[in-house]
């Protein structure tokens, strides 16, 4: 009996030690995983920063080479990323969200995959970072959906405000018979298109300069540089020590210059040829589409508001001290400023989204354009076989690039220029469409001042006329426009 008790006691102690051992091993595993995840994030952030700096460095080198090509690259000082600065608030890595997730552990901790046993590393599902990734995805989706909702609400509020103001304009009966006032208003409205066009004319030359000079100049430099380097690039693909073996070379040709190799990973001949052009335009492309265009659009919207303020100020000065008309103009001025601000806000959001999507599409067209120019060479090389075919492939590829490099890069750059020109025309057309809509809206709101309007008291009950405008106007100027129905 005593022996059995001693045996059970030892067995209990052994079980306790085993549990302690498992817990410590699990804690060690979790520490190791967290350290690995932290290291992976830091490496990704550092590689991200280094990649951005490398693009800037190559672009700056390209500019320097155009100015003084004999200067030694080693004599130039370029900033380098410091791994210790990854946590700085102004680091580009702050904009890059990285999640190191463990899907198997997450499923086990949530009662799934029971056949595979319990979770081996984590105790809390939050440690797998899947909840954080899920929250980030939901937050990103909500931001897009909130933006779209706000745009709709601003548009609806603007339209309702214009309708309510039009129908509740009690001053029309008092002043519509004033022929002199009608003539002044009509003459002022005739000058609105010219006035608004001035706002566009002040900004459109800058946009034309961004596309036609800044990007065009770098694109031309990049094309020239690519023509200079392309033959050396093609030769480097077949170098004995630094190039690709014949099997990889041939496989890339079979796949139009793009092949994923087990040893060399992604092999992309087309990207190699396009790299000088991409490096030349990378910095100015980012500046134009991330800051310069946005600044121009904001200047345009501000100019439109200033022109409308000038229009109403001059109109009120021309009509003189006619109290009823002055009062009507003041009410119309307040309504139009709120409505136009909401419309311009939506215009900026639409342009930002449209231009961003379009420029991404255009920036990805360069490499496929070069691939199309190289297609005859890839086809010919992929059909070669027999003794010495590797040497024949390399010789044919080098000869083809030597003969066709001008047409290949000229066609690629011309295609980019045409796409950028189309984008420029799209922006110009959006300006004209907005100005036409503003002109028509303004003229519609002035109709009660230009011709007699038959009032219908039943259309908007008297008790409902008061609350709507105070509710609508603040909603239009609010960044998160929210309409609230009047309480009965």
């Amino acid at each position: 009996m005593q022996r059995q008790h001693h045996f059970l006691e030892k067995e209990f102690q052994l079980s306790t030690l085993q549990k302690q051992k498992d817990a410590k091993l699990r804690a060690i595993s979790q520490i190791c995983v967290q350290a690995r995840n932290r290291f992976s994030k830091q490496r990704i952030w550092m590689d991200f920063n280094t990649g951005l700096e490398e693009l800037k460095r190559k672009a700056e080198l390209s500019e320097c080479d155009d100015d003084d090509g004999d200067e030694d690259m080693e004599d130039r000082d370029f900033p380098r990323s410091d791994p210790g600065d990854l946590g700085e608030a102004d680091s580009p890595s702050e904009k890059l969200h990285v999640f190191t997730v463990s899907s198997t552990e997450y499923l086990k901790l949530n009662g799934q995959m029971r056949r595979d046993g319990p979770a081996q590393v984590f105790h809390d599902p939050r440690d797998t970072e899947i909840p954080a990734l899920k929250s980030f995805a939901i937050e990103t989706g909500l931001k897009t959906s909130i933006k779209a909702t706000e745009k709709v609400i601003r548009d609806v509020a603007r339209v309702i405000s214009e309708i309510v103001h039009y129908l509740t304009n009690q001053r029309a009966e008092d002043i519509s018979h004033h022929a002199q006032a009608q003539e002044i208003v009509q003459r002022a409205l005739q000058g609105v298109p010219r006035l608004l066009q001035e706002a566009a004319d002040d900004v459109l030359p800058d946009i034309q300069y961004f596309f036609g000079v800044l990007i065009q100049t770098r694109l031309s430099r990049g094309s020239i540089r690519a023509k200079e380097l392309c033959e050396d690039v093609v030769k480097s693909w077949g170098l004995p020590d630094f190039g690709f073996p014949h099997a990889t070379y041939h496989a890339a040709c079979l796949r139009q210059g793009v092949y994923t190799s087990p040893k060399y990973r992604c092999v992309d001949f087309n990207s190699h040829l396009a790299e000088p052009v991409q490096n030349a335009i990378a910095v100015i492309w980012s500046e134009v589409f991330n800051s310069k265009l946005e600044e121009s659009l904001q200047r345009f919207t501000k100019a439109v508001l200033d022109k409308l303020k000038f229009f109403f100020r001059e109109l009120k000065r021309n009509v003189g001290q006619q109290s009823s008309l002055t009062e009507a103009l003041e009410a119309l001025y307040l309504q139009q400023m709120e409505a136009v601000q909401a419309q311009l806000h939506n215009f900026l959001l639409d342009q930002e989204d449209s231009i961003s999507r379009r420029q991404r599409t255009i920036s990805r067209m360069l490499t496929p354009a070069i691939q199309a120019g190289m297609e005859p060479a890839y086809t010919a090389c992929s059909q070669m076989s027999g003794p010495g075919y590797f040497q024949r492939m390399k010789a044919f590829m080098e000869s083809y690039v030597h003969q066709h490099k001008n047409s290949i890069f000229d066609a690629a750059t011309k295609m980019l220029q045409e796409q950028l020109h189309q984008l420029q025309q799209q922006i110009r057309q959006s300006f004209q469409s907005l100005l036409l809509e503003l002109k028509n809206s303004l003229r519609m709101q002035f109709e009660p001042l230009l011709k007699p309007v038959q009032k219908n008291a039943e259309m908007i009950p008297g008790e409902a006329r008061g609350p709507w405008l105070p509710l609508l106007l603040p909603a239009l100027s609010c960044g998160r426009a929210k309409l609230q129905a009047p309480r009965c």
Side-chain angles (χ1 to χ4, degrees), residues 29 44 48 85-86 89 104 109 114 127 148 161 191 220 229 255 258 287 321 348 419 441 445 461 484:
S29 298
I44 291 171
F48 178 72
D85 294 338
L86 291 175
T104 302
L109 288 170
R114 294 178 179 178
D127 294 334
S161 171
S220 299
L229 297 177
R255 296 162 178 81
V258 182
E287 289 179 0
Q321 299 299 321
L348 284 176
Q419 294 296 321
S441 174
Q445 291 300 312
Q484 296 180 354

Side-chain angles (χ1 to χ4, degrees), residues 205-398:
D206 292 342
I207 296 177
Q208 185 176 358
Y209 174 76
F210 299 153
F211 289 102
V213 177
L214 293 182
I215 296 180
Q216 173 64 38
T217 302
R218 305 299 171 82
L219 193 58
S220 299
R221 291 179 183 177
S223 177
I224 294 171
R225 186 64 174 163
K227 294 173 186 177
E228 294 172 351
L229 297 177
C230 63
E231 294 184 48
D232 292 334
V233 170
V234 171
K235 288 179 182 178
S236 70
W237 297 340
L239 290 177
D241 296 326
F242 304 102
F244 303 107
H246 67 90
T248 304
Y249 199 109
H250 188 259
C253 291
L254 276 171
R255 296 162 178 81
Q256 300 299 305
V258 182
Y259 173 61
T260 302
S261 165
K263 180 178 180 180
Y264 298 97
R265 297 187 179 181
C266 183
V267 178
D268 192 342
F269 291 167
N270 308 301
S271 294
H272 295 167
L273 293 172
E275 187 175 357
V277 183
Q278 292 172 334
N279 290 339
I281 66 175
V283 173
I284 195 61
W285 189 282
S286 178
E287 289 179 0
V288 167
F289 288 105
N290 290 338
S291 61
K292 292 183 181 295
L293 266 181
E294 182 180 354
E295 292 171 1
S296 295
L297 291 173
Q298 290 176 348
R299 280 200 300 113
F300 168 67
T301 56
K302 183 179 182 301
V304 168
L305 284 175
D306 291 341
K307 295 296 182 182
L308 287 177
K309 290 177 182 177
F310 174 80
F311 164 78
F312 277 101
R313 185 168 62 248
E314 289 298 304
L315 181 57
K316 284 189 284 187
R317 184 177 64 83
N318 290 334
V319 299
Q321 299 299 321
Q322 299 184 45
S323 59
S324 59
L325 183 57
T326 303
E327 185 181 353
L329 289 176
E330 183 64 25
L332 183 56
Y333 166 75
L334 294 175
Q335 183 274 330
Q336 279 293 293
M337 286 298 103
E338 296 286 356
V340 170
Q341 285 180 14
Q343 190 170 0
L344 292 176
H345 192 134
N346 283 358
F347 173 79
L348 284 176
L349 293 177
D350 289 338
Q351 290 300 303
E352 177 185 346
D353 180 64
S354 174
I355 292 173
S356 178
R357 285 187 285 105
R358 190 79 181 100
Q359 68 88 13
R360 281 199 300 269
T361 301
I362 296 173
S363 67
R364 294 167 183 165
M365 289 182 174
L366 178 63
T367 302
I370 292 175
Q371 184 181 41
M374 291 291 295
E375 185 176 354
Y378 295 143
T379 302
C381 290
S382 64
Q383 295 173 353
M384 294 181 183
S385 60
Y389 85 96
F390 188 32
Q391 295 301 324
R392 294 199 306 274
M393 272 199 311
K394 293 190 292 184
F396 182 86
M397 189 73 75
E398 293 170 12

